[in-house]
């Protein structure tokens, strides 16, 4: 009898250990497979996909070596919002690793050249505010001061608008509003008691005044105050077409810069009005799919396509605008419709659970070499890139605002 009990005891113990080992093996296999769960929120799924494809944050956009760039600033800003919501340290560490590989002990930013006066280079500074607040590491403050110095010295149009770059004299592009104004507004609020908020608002005022089409209410990609560029309308100075991503940069700039304008600031209501004007114009061109076309107002024209980055940016700006009370509630519904379009039509799920957003325009601009004329044919023929950071960053931001 005793022998029977012992035999059964050891058999049970053996089975127990086999089950434990099997369980460990299963967990180990899951970890080694590193599958991204479909049960996670879309924001986490995209962030984890980015981290898996780019283990070091400087590798975003397939970069081979660290460089200070606006796409990193955009994506890591979305990670910062994700970190605020989730409190997951891996998101914070991913952000910090980018700053730490590029900013030395004295606060110098590697690969950054202030003398180019490229306003695109300002936006990555947005991640430094929280890093400085949490670490009190002075090199982050020095780096922010350097970027602010660029804004102080940035060449301006005769009417006071920041040039997009030193090599693009007298030109303001919609892109530049996102690249410069949220950082400028945050900096002047954090360190200057808001003394330059009027100058922040002035940048929006100039674009709203000079780049808005009276017929559609949409904004043209660029405005040349000198009217000398071949792409510029000789009467208005505007570029010839509406590019969805450029308008996306503009509306994102508005909702983000407004974070730093007190409600009683004289310019706050003005900026809210600009946001409403743009949103009301954009929603008229929203496709039945929920998405927007690459060239915003020419949905049925040959070669045009439903584009991911502009659609993600509009979804984010509409959702945040509605959540903050800047926009009517109907824009939250429009944002959800856009997000449905993105997830139903433009998202592919990879074998490892990672997600890929398709049909994102890789890049577009005006002038330069080779020359970019701003024509319809130019915009629809620029190359596309899957999981382009100009789509993934706003996609995460939209998912967070919509709690999707």
């Amino acid at each position: 009898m005793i022998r029977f009990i012992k035999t059964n005891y050891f058999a049970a113990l053996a089975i127990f250990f086999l089950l434990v080992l099997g369980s460990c093996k299963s967990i180990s296999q899951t970890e080694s497979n590193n599958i991204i769960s479909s049960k996670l929120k879309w924001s986490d799924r995209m962030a984890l996909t980015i981290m898996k494809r780019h283990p070091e944050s400087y590798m975003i956009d397939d970069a081979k070596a660290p460089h200070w760039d606006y796409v990193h600033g955009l994506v890591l800003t979305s990670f910062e919002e994700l970190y605020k919501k989730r409190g997951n340290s891996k998101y914070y560490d991913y952000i910090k690793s980018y700053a730490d590989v590029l900013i030395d002990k004295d606060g110098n930013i590697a690969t950054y050249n202030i003398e180019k006066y490229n306003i695109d280079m300002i936006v990555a500074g947005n991640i430094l505010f929280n890093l400085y607040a949490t670490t009190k590491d002075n090199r982050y403050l020095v780096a922010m001061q350097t970027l602010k110095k660029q804004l102080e010295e940035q060449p301006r149009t005769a009417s006071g608008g920041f040039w997009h770059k030193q090599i693009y004299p007298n030109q303001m592009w919609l892109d530049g509003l996102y690249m410069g104004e949220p950082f400028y507004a945050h900096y002047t609020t954090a360190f200057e008691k808001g003394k330059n908020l009027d100058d922040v608002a002035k940048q929006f005022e100039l674009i709203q005044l000079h780049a808005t089409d009276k017929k559609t209410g949409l904004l043209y990609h660029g405005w040349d105050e000198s009217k000398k560029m071949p792409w510029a309308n000789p009467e208005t100075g505007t570029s010839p077409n509406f590019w969805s991503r450029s308008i996306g940069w503009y509306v994102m700039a508005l909702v983000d810069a407004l974070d730093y304008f007190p409600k009683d600031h004289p310019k706050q209501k003005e900026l809210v009005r600009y946001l409403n004007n743009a949103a009301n114009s954009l929603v008229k061109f929203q496709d039945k799919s929920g998405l927007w076309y690459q060239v915003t107002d020419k949905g049925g024209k040959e070669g045009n396509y439903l584009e991911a980055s502009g659609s993600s940016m509009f979804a984010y700006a509409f959702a945040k605008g509605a959540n903050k009370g800047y926009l009517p509630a109907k824009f939250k519904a429009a944002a959800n419709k856009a997000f449905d379009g993105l997830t139903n039509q433009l998202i592919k799920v990879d074998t490892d659970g990672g997600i890929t957003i398709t049909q994102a325009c890789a890049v577009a601009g005006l002038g330069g070499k080779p020359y970019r004329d701003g024509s319809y044919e130019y915009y629809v023929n620029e190359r596309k890139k899957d999981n382009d950071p100009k789509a993934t960053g706003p996609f995460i931001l939209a998912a967070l605002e919509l709690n999707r």
Side-chain angles (χ1 to χ4, degrees):
M1 180 68 178
I2 292 170
R3 184 191 225 166
F4 175 76
I5 291 170
K6 281 184 178 178
T7 303
N8 277 277
Y9 169 76
F10 286 116
L13 201 61
I15 291 168
F16 171 75
F17 279 115
L18 283 170
L19 287 170
V20 170
L21 286 169
S23 175
C24 290
K25 186 178 179 184
S26 175
I27 291 168
S28 176
Q29 283 176 339
T30 301
E31 287 179 348
S32 65
N33 290 338
N34 200 13
I35 302 297
I36 298 170
S37 173
S38 62
K39 295 179 181 178
L40 294 170
K41 298 275 190 182
W42 284 109
S43 50
D44 291 280
R45 291 173 73 182
M46 181 59 83
L48 292 172
T49 300
I50 292 168
M51 293 174 77
K52 190 172 182 182
R53 306 287 184 265
H54 309 297
E56 300 294 335
S57 50
Y58 77 79
M59 297 174 178
I60 288 169
D61 205 25
D62 303 317
K64 304 302 181 189
H67 66 288
W68 189 256
D69 195 74
Y70 76 96
V71 296
H72 297 76
L74 172 63
V75 173
L76 295 176
T77 294
S78 75
F79 271 69
E80 188 162 282
E81 293 305 311
L82 192 54
Y83 172 66
K84 288 178 188 174
K85 288 274 173 69
R86 305 283 188 263
N88 192 325
S89 61
K90 66 185 172 186
Y91 295 138
Y92 175 86
D93 293 342
Y94 196 68
I95 298 164
K96 189 172 185 295
S97 69
Y98 179 71
D100 289 351
V101 79
L102 280 151
I103 300 172
D104 70 16
K105 61 182 177 59
D106 298 317
N108 300 306
I109 306 169
T111 76
Y112 168 78
N113 183 354
I114 193 172
E115 293 178 0
K116 290 185 177 180
Y117 294 105
N118 179 353
I119 207 163
D120 289 344
M121 295 301 106
I122 301 296
V123 70
N126 288 331
I127 66 171
L128 301 179
F129 293 97
N130 187 53
L131 290 176
Y132 177 63
T134 54
T135 66
K136 299 302 179 187
D137 190 330
N138 195 60
R139 65 201 173 101
Y140 299 135
L141 177 60
V142 172
M144 284 190 283
Q145 290 169 339
T146 300
L147 298 172
K148 173 58 165 40
K149 184 173 185 288
Q150 179 186 323
L151 289 175
E152 290 169 358
E153 299 174 358
Q154 188 79 5
R156 295 183 184 234
T157 68
S159 55
F162 291 136
W163 289 10
H164 192 66
K165 297 180 185 180
Q166 178 83 337
I167 60 171
Y168 298 134
N170 302 304
Q171 298 168 42
M172 294 184 75
W173 297 6
L174 298 184
D175 319 28
L177 278 293
Y178 181 80
M179 303 304 162
E181 305 323 309
F183 175 90
Y184 192 10
H186 196 170
Y187 188 97
T188 195
T189 303
F191 301 112
E192 302 174 331
K193 298 181 180 179
K195 73 172 187 177
N196 285 315
L197 284 176
D198 282 353
D199 193 32
V200 174
K202 184 179 184 66
Q203 308 306 310
F204 290 103
E205 289 169 4
L206 288 169
I207 279 290
Q208 193 70 28
L209 177 63
H210 295 288
T212 306
D213 176 53
K214 292 178 182 177
K215 183 179 177 182
T216 62
L218 299 173
L219 290 97
Y220 292 102
H221 184 180
W223 169 60
D224 171 17
E225 189 176 63
S226 71
K227 304 173 186 175
K228 292 179 179 177
M229 291 302 294
W231 53 254
N233 182 304
E235 294 181 8
T236 64
T238 57
S239 57
N241 280 288
F242 307 114
W243 179 38
S244 286
R245 182 154 80 224
S246 68
I247 306 173
W249 288 125
Y250 181 69
V251 291
M252 288 204 307
L254 281 165
V255 294
D256 286 357
L258 275 164
D259 286 342
Y260 309 104
F261 278 79
K263 284 191 175 181
D264 61 353
H265 190 279
K267 300 294 184 180
Q268 196 265 0
K269 288 184 174 59
E270 182 180 293
L271 297 184
V272 170
R273 188 170 73 251
Y274 296 162
L275 179 62
N276 276 268
N277 290 346
N280 279 309
S281 301
L282 283 166
V283 81
K284 296 174 185 174
F285 294 95
Q286 187 174 21
D287 183 69
K288 62 183 180 181
S289 64
L291 303 170
W292 281 264
Y293 280 85
Q294 164 77 338
V295 178
T296 320
D297 64 329
K298 293 180 170 62
K301 193 168 180 180
E302 185 179 354
N304 211 359
Y305 61 94
L306 296 168
E307 200 276 330
S309 65
S311 297
S312 296
M313 290 174 174
F314 298 150
Y316 166 59
F318 285 9
K320 183 175 180 178
N323 288 341
K324 291 277 190 177
Y326 308 141
L327 294 173
K330 68 179 181 180
F331 287 100
K332 186 77 170 282
N336 270 306
K337 183 179 178 182
F339 202 81
D340 287 340
L342 290 164
T343 54
N344 293 333
Q345 296 206 29
L346 301 188
I347 290 282
K348 295 188 302 185
V349 180
D350 304 324
T351 54
D352 64 354
I355 57 175
T356 296
I357 189 165
T358 62
Q359 291 188 199
C361 175
V363 66
L366 296 164
K369 294 178 183 178
Y371 193 79
R372 299 168 294 183
D373 63 2
S375 65
Y376 174 83
E377 290 71 24
Y378 162 69
Y379 285 113
V380 299
N381 286 300
E382 273 286 18
R383 68 185 177 90
K384 304 183 186 82
K385 182 179 179 181
D386 287 353
N387 269 3
D388 188 278
K390 280 87 75 182
T392 60
F395 179 85
I396 292 171
L397 292 168
L400 286 168
E401 288 293 335
L402 294 168
N403 193 27
R404 297 284 294 269

